[in-house]
Amino acid sequence: MDIRMVAALNTRRYRTALGLSQEAVGERIGADQQYVSVIERGGQNLTLIRLLELAEALNVRPAQLLDEDYAESAQTHRDQGS
């Protein structure tokens, strides 16, 4: 799986688990809702600084946003309609 999609799926999964909107995450990282949406669709190459900011905003370690196993389990969940 492409690293952008890994980060995208994990960002969305952690954000929704916290009950945060894209707008709320955007405010935490100094960006707008549209930027967070692009991240969650895998359309943005994240810089290291942005990855760190995003991890802090979601209360996770940066490595958790890049965990391919977690992303694949999220994708499987989505594909099954759960």
Side-chain angles (χ1 to χ4, degrees):
M1 181 180 302
D2 179 84
I3 194 67
R4 285 180 299 186
M5 285 311 300
V6 170
L9 291 168
N10 289 340
T11 297
R12 179 178 170 86
R13 196 165 184 190
Y14 286 118
R15 177 183 63 77
T16 58
L18 289 173
L20 295 173
S21 66
Q22 290 178 340
E23 183 177 9
V25 172
E27 289 174 5
R28 290 180 178 198
I29 66 171
D32 60 20
Q33 175 274 325
Q34 291 175 331
Y35 182 78
V36 176
S37 177
V38 171
I39 291 171
E40 290 186 2
R41 286 181 282 141
Q44 181 64 41
N45 287 322
L46 296 173
T47 64
L48 181 56
I49 297 299
R50 189 59 87 184
L51 180 72
L52 294 172
E53 292 169 344
L54 196 54
E56 185 176 327
L58 298 171
N59 301 314
V60 298
R61 293 183 331 273
Q64 289 176 266
L65 294 177
L66 302 175
D67 183 340
E68 192 167 353
D69 291 335
Y70 192 66
E72 286 177 353
S73 70
Q75 185 65 46
T76 300
H77 231 88
R78 279 178 54 184
D79 291 346
Q80 293 174 350
S82 301

